[in-house]
Amino acid sequence: MVMGRQEKGAATAPAAFNLAEAGFGDRPDLDDDGREKRTGTLVTASAHIITAVIGSGVLSLAWAIAQLGWVIGPTVLVAFSVITWFCSSLLADCYRSPDPVHGKRNYTYGQAVRANLGVAKYRLCSLAQYVNLVGVTVGYTITTAISMGAIRRSNCFHRNGHDAACLASDTTNMIIFAGIQILLSQLPNFHKIWWLSIVAAVMSLAYSTIGLGLSIAKIAGKYIYQLIFMAKKS
């Protein structure tokens, strides 16, 4: 079955191999398939990877490890790291098809699935992707609204004291966040703002470092308190 798929793909290979011969190879602003030439660098790619890996999920990592314990927690973390690496390797191999070096480029995950698994699997993949996208969008909207409300309440407590009735409307915060997202989604070249990924990577590293520092301070304070208590008791 695999050989049959490879033979079927080999029939369309000449068209992919001859893309550069069609004149695209002579254009410095175009790739070998006629699309706008990619300008990504190691720095921008690293920024994208850091932003994706050290995302908002790292904020709940400490709680997850605390729930699982120091044995199961790191074991699960390493296991999912291996799974992520394996999936990334598969995606890299599927970037061009049918030939991994000279084949036609698959610019999206859906295109890679369609080229290697067929139209039916592509439709199932698209359905799963859109369902996941809707769920993630709803989750981020709710989380952002709660976070914005927490910041407003914190500022209110600092100004008026902890006994003040500080309330914040999550609905208003959701509308504000959704409006900003709709506005940004209208930018035609939003994916070309390379410096945005670097800013996001710096922010991810910053709040990860802050979380690590607070954790160390919490543990150190606990042990210092115990030492002081034992010293006074003795």
Side-chain angles (χ1 to χ4, degrees):
M1 182 177 177
V2 175
M3 291 298 295
R5 187 182 301 153
Q6 290 177 346
E7 291 175 359
K8 182 179 179 180
T12 60
F17 295 151
N18 295 330
L19 285 173
E21 299 179 2
F24 298 132
D26 300 331
R27 294 278 303 273
D29 58 331
L30 298 178
D31 266 331
D32 55 3
D33 57 355
R35 290 206 177 198
E36 187 177 357
K37 193 173 186 64
R38 297 166 299 158
T39 58
T41 62
L42 180 61
V43 174
T44 56
S46 300
H48 279 296
I49 293 173
I50 292 174
T51 305
V53 175
I54 313 179
S56 59
V58 78
L59 298 176
S60 61
L61 183 61
W63 178 86
I65 296 297
Q67 298 300 311
L68 294 174
W70 285 110
V71 177
I72 301 179
T75 301
V76 172
L77 186 62
V78 172
F80 277 98
S81 299
V82 174
I83 293 173
T84 302
W85 169 79
F86 179 70
C87 293
S88 300
S89 300
L90 290 179
L91 286 175
D93 292 338
C94 294
Y95 178 60
R96 286 181 179 268
S97 61
D99 184 83
V101 178
H102 304 289
K104 183 179 180 297
R105 298 181 192 271
N106 297 309
Y107 286 92
T108 64
Y109 184 78
Q111 289 179 355
V113 172
R114 184 170 188 171
N116 292 276
L117 300 178
V119 178
K121 298 292 179 62
Y122 164 72
R123 290 173 179 171
L124 291 175
C125 172
S126 300
L127 177 62
Q129 279 189 303
Y130 281 113
V131 170
N132 179 70
L133 181 61
V134 171
V136 170
T137 303
V138 172
Y140 269 105
T141 302
I142 295 174
T143 303
T144 303
I146 294 174
S147 300
M148 293 170 64
I151 294 174
R152 293 185 61 182
R153 286 192 297 270
S154 177
N155 293 334
C156 177
F157 288 141
H158 281 294
R159 288 194 306 266
N160 305 318
H162 290 280
D163 296 330
C166 297
L167 301 176
S169 174
D170 290 338
T171 303
T172 302
N173 294 333
M174 288 183 187
I175 294 175
I176 294 174
F177 178 75
I180 294 174
Q181 296 302 306
I182 293 174
L183 179 63
L184 292 177
S185 67
Q186 303 308 308
L187 297 178
N189 297 322
F190 187 78
H191 61 286
K192 294 184 178 180
I193 307 178
W194 60 269
W195 54 266
L196 189 62
S197 293
I198 297 179
V199 172
V202 172
M203 291 179 62
S204 297
L205 289 173
Y207 64 65
S208 299
T209 304
I210 293 173
L212 178 62
L214 292 175
S215 301
I216 294 175
K218 185 70 174 180
I219 295 174
K222 179 180 178 180
Y223 281 107
I224 292 174
Y225 176 80
Q226 289 179 351
L227 290 175
I228 295 175
F229 179 77
M230 292 176 63
K232 287 183 178 180
K233 189 176 180 179
S234 60

